[in-house]
Amino acid sequence: MHAIYDELGGSDGVRTAVTVMYHRIVADPELAPWFEGVDTERLKSHQRAFLAAAFGGPQVFTGRSVGEAHADMRITDAAFDRVVQSLMTALADLGVANEAVLTVGARLEDMRGDIVTA
Ligand code: HEM
């Protein structure tokens, strides 16, 4: 995944990209039912977990497994798709090579079975 870090201009670039993408997720009316009322610290924690899952690197999860964290949320396949698409679109917009974007998508795709319960 180092290639993606480099393409985005290192860790600052990655952080900026993910922050932009994450604001889009939180502002997406179709995803609002899940993110409404979640406090800022939790959102930041979620963003870091999402980033670690997408790009690899240190696991910053707070102790709960990803499956446990989403167990009661009834997340749909469509919502999962939108979240993953947001990140892939943001990366593509920033000029990340298509192959690297697809690699990130595949890493997140591996988690679908743990997260989608609806
Ligand atoms: C695709 C990869 C995803 C990863 C790696 C991920 C990771 C995580 C983790 C680790 C937590 C627990 C955070 C904590 O305990 O502080 C969490 C919570 C949460 N996730 Fe995800 N998530 C993903 C996708 C999604 C999707 C698709 C949705 C909704 C459509 C979603 C909505 C939430 C919400 C609402 C919380 C709860 C925040 C709270 O504790 O109040 N996540 N996620």
Side-chain angles (χ1 to χ4, degrees):
M1 289 291 92
H2 290 299
I4 297 181
Y5 271 88
D6 292 344
E7 284 184 59
L8 284 171
S11 61
D12 284 352
V14 170
R15 200 165 47 230
T16 302
V18 175
T19 300
V20 167
M21 176 276 301
Y22 208 75
H23 282 148
R24 278 192 218 158
I25 288 177
V26 173
D28 182 337
E30 304 241 355
L31 295 174
W34 285 281
F35 290 99
E36 246 164 29
V38 177
D39 74 53
T40 309
E41 282 312 307
R42 290 286 195 159
L43 288 177
K44 282 187 184 153
S45 164
H46 191 241
Q47 186 179 328
R48 283 193 299 271
F50 189 73
L51 196 153
F55 297 100
Q59 297 300 293
V60 290
F61 296 0
T62 54
R64 294 186 290 170
S65 73
V66 169
E68 286 165 346
H70 302 90
D72 300 325
M73 291 187 200
R74 301 187 60 77
I75 292 174
T76 60
D77 276 306
F80 185 88
D81 289 343
R82 283 183 93 81
V83 167
V84 173
Q85 271 305 320
S86 298
L87 178 55
M88 292 176 72
T89 303
L91 294 176
D93 285 352
L94 285 155
V96 173
N98 195 44
E99 199 186 330
V101 174
L102 292 176
T103 301
V104 168
R107 288 183 65 107
L108 292 173
E109 186 59 45
D110 284 345
M111 310 182 81
R112 181 187 295 267
D114 289 330
I115 290 173
V116 173
T117 55

